[in-house]
């Protein structure tokens, strides 16, 4: 996951919010049980630990972890006092911003001076935030450290208020006048894309008084999402039987574990109880989802969009064609991919029929392999050896323990998960909870994909150096793909190879097929309301079950309550968000294949893509690297890979 705050485009859904970034990488992994396989306890590992390997424990005090495995953040601020001094300075600078209000549109030099000031304050604010959040991530026990992140948030809000006049003021100018002012002022060149983006949104920006009224509905608009969260907390599931025959609590959090049990009775009982309980509460869930859909449609209509999907995608300048291409290309390729996979599962697991509760059980033994951190570092370097001198050199520098870019192991007070963060033109920092498992090596590769993206994006001027959400997870999953491909090629045993091939299949199933199914569901339920229909709980279940049948195909047996899974998915409250998981992985697969099989041109295309950051619209940036998501060609690379992986698995199984 990449963690950066962004100054969202005012006025459409101005979002100065850290959580928005969190929705990208992390929440999918939390939602999808496949990736959260229960990790064996560190204690159990000790017996097989390589001599000299550091074995972490979550209860160990941080100062007992050797220094080389802890990051060093002194390069940002030499001490907490230095951070405080900077905070006071930025706070004062924020108060200066409103002075621009009267001058910003006076002439070219005044406009430039205002933009420079606002973006410079934002840059300093980002630095404060990166440092405060990094400390907070490694020490959840200190209220002083927590206070630093809260104060940064408050300053961020004050900055948002202080600078809120800017974009409406620029948009109040006639577009020709604005463009002429930008063209006449040489220093404005770096703001050209920023102004282009502003102009692009112009037709959907309302007069100031109407904008104010819409802004006042903010809390109300957030209501359906909160309602869904409250419902999730209120719903009580009956206990279910675990692998040892004991009754255990079934919850939203424990569901993925039971769903993936090797014991078919265990997983069937849990899934049936889970969906039956959702069904019992489905009228409340439906009322809240219906309200979320109507909120999106209200916003789209208020701003003069043709549809809710068009309105949502326009925030990132993504054409609706991309969304439709994704759904169409997936539908066209289901028989040779997902339908075939269901057949293979049936055969490998020796089942009469494949149900929902047979989708998450591993087909092959999971890897028991222990990978010390130093070895994981080497594996990542080898897998990315083809990336050219600059990439390789920065990667080696960042991975070298003595440079301390990475906080490697879990310890007391440290939060869970992984992320990469960084301030403009400073080296990135990587946060891990490495547990000496193969899966952790993939996380390391993933986060260093973000790190190198940050590094190369810093070649842009600050205003263009952001890494948009639509692109960010391409850089990270690209590295995972490179690593996976390298490991599959080098697999020494049939078992190891089958495990890795199945990992690839499951990555694509949960990130491309499942998320595209969600995306299609979102589209269908919005269209239902747009054409005057009503979203009752039965209607939602009917739409959802129809999609499950379509995606999993004729060999799949759908249970009586499976259609109520829609009530479990929080992402339906994110307003057409999940399709980016699918397009992100598809783009990463196409690009990594290009770099592996191609020559210098493909590599240069990919590196230019990383360096481009936010200097153009995301879909255009991707197009220059050879992935045109308005067409289906690039998506085919993923379906071809999926089908070829099935072929390889079948061949191995026949041996
Ligand atoms: Zn990520």
């Amino acid at each position: 996951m990449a963690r950066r705050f962004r100054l969202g485009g005012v006025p459409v859904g101005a979002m100065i919010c850290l959580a928005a970034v969190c929705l990208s990488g992390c929440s999918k992994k939390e939602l999808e049980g496949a990736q959260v396989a229960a990790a064996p306890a560190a204690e159990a590992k000790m017996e097989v630990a390589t001599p000299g390997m550091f074995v972490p424990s979550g209860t160990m005090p941080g100062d007992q972890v050797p220094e080389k495995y802890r990051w060093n953040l002194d390069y940002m601020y030499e001490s907490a006092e230095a951070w405080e001094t900077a905070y006071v300075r930025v706070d004062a600078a924020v108060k200066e911003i409103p002075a621009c209000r009267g001058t910003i549109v006076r002439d070219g030099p005044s406009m430039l001076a205002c933009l420079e000031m606002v973006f410079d304050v934002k840059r300093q604010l980002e630095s404060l935030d990166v440092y405060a959040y990094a400390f907070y991530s490694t020490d959840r026990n200190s209220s002083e450290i927590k206070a630093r992140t809260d104060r940064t948030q408050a300053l961020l809000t004050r900055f948002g208020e202080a600078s809120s006049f800017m974009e409406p003021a620029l948009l109040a100018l006639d577009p020709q006048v604005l463009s002429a002012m930008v063209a006449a002022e040489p220093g404005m060149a770096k703001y050209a894309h920023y102004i282009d983006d502003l102009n692009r949104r112009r037709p959907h920006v309302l007069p100031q008084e109407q904008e104010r009224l819409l802004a006042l509905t903010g809390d109300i608009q957030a209501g359906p999402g909160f309602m869904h969260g409250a419902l999730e907390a209120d719903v009580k599931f009956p206990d279910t039987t675990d692998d040892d025959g004991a009754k255990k609590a079934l919850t939203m959090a424990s569901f993925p574990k039971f769903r993936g049990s090797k014991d078919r009775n265990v997983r069937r009982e849990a899934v049936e109880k889970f969906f039956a309980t959702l069904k019992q509460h489905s009228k409340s869930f439906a009322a809240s989802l219906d309200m979320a859909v109507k909120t999106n449609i209200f916003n789209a209509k208020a701003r003069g969009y043709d549809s809710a999907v068009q309105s949502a995608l326009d925030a990132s300048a993504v054409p609706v064609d991309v969304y439709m291409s994704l759904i169409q290309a997936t539908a066209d390729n289901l028989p040779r991919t997902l339908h075939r996979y269901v057949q293979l599962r049936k055969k490998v697991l020796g089942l009469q029929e494949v149900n929902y509760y047979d989708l998450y059980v591993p087909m092959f033994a999971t890897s028991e392999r222990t990978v010390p951190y130093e070895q994981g570092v080497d594996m990542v370097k080898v897998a990315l050896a083809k990336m050219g001198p600059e990439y390789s050199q920065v990667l080696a520098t960042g991975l070298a323990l003595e440079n301390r870019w990475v906080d490697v192991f879990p310890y007391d007070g440290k939060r869970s998960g992984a992320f990469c963060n960084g301030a403009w033109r400073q080296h990135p920092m990587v946060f891990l909870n490495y547990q000496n498992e193969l899966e952790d090596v993939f996380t390391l590769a993933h986060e260093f994909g973000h790190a190198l993206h940050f590094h190369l994006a810093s070649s842009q001027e600050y205003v263009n150096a952001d890494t948009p959400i639509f692109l960010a997870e391409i850089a990270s999953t690209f590295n995972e793909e490179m690593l996976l491909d390298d490991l599959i090629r080098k697999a020494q045993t049939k078992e190891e190879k089958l495990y890795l091939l199945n990992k690839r299949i499951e990555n694509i199933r949960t990130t491309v097929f499942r998320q595209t199914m969600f995306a299609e569901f979102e589209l269908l339920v919005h269209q239902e309301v747009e054409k005057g229909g009503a979203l009752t709980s039965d209607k939602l279940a009917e739409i959802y079950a129809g999609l499950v049948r379509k995606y999993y195909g004729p060999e799949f047996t759908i249970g009586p309550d499976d259609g109520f899974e829609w009530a479990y998915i929080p992402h339906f409250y994110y307003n057409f968000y999940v399709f980016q998981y699918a397009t992100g992985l598809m783009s990463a697969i196409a690009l990594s294949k290009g770099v592996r099989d191609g020559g210098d041109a493909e590599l240069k295309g990919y590196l230019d893509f990383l360096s481009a950051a936010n200097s153009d619209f995301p879909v255009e940036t991707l197009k220059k690297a050879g992935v045109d998501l308005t067409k289906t060609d690039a998506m085919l690379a993923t379906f071809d890979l999926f089908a070829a992986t099935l072929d390889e698995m079948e061949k191995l199984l026949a041996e």
Side-chain angles (χ1 to χ4, degrees), residues 1-2 24-26 446-447 450 472-473 476:
M1 143 192 192
S24 65
C26 53
H446 179 107
E447 299 308 338
H450 288 311
E473 296 302 331
S476 54

Side-chain angles (χ1 to χ4, degrees), residues 43 58 109 132 170-171 177 179 237 262 304 350 437 464 508 537 581 599:
E43 286 74 16
L170 293 171
L171 282 173
V177 173
S179 299
F237 298 92
K262 286 199 179 117
E437 285 173 38
N464 299 319
I508 299 175
S537 64
Y581 295 138

Side-chain angles (χ1 to χ4, degrees), residues 292-294 296-297 308-309 521-531 535 572 575-576:
V293 168
K294 284 177 176 154
N296 295 339
I297 293 171
V309 64
F521 178 78
E522 274 187 282
L523 182 69
L524 292 176
V525 299
H526 282 82
Q527 286 175 341
E528 182 67 27
V529 178
E530 281 167 338
K531 68 178 192 214
L535 293 182
F572 295 148
N575 195 13
F576 295 97

Side-chain angles (χ1 to χ4, degrees), residues 219-329:
D219 284 348
I220 307 170
Q221 298 215 10
F226 286 122
M227 221 140 60
H228 176 82
L231 273 167
E232 276 190 329
D234 275 349
V235 171
K236 295 285 172 276
F237 298 92
D239 285 352
T240 193
T241 317
D242 76 0
D243 290 347
D244 300 325
K247 287 284 175 203
K248 287 282 163 60
L250 180 62
T251 62
M252 293 269 178
S254 70
F255 174 60
K257 191 182 70 154
F258 292 113
R259 178 173 68 174
S261 169
K262 286 199 179 117
D263 186 331
R264 195 164 192 236
N265 290 325
V266 168
R267 55 183 198 259
R268 175 168 46 206
E269 182 185 339
V271 165
E272 285 177 355
K273 283 178 170 171
F274 193 81
F275 287 157
T277 310
L278 289 178
K279 185 182 178 181
Q280 277 169 21
H281 297 271
S282 61
K283 288 189 181 62
S284 308
F285 277 114
S288 94
L289 186 57
D290 181 45
M291 208 43 71
V293 168
K294 284 177 176 154
T295 302
N296 295 339
I297 293 171
F298 164 78
N299 285 326
K301 278 189 179 162
R303 296 195 179 281
Y305 286 101
D306 296 336
S307 64
V309 64
Q310 188 197 26
S311 167
L313 268 53
D314 198 48
S316 325
V318 174
V320 175
D321 287 355
V322 170
Y323 207 88
M324 299 309 173
S325 295
L326 172 69
I327 290 174
Q328 191 56 51

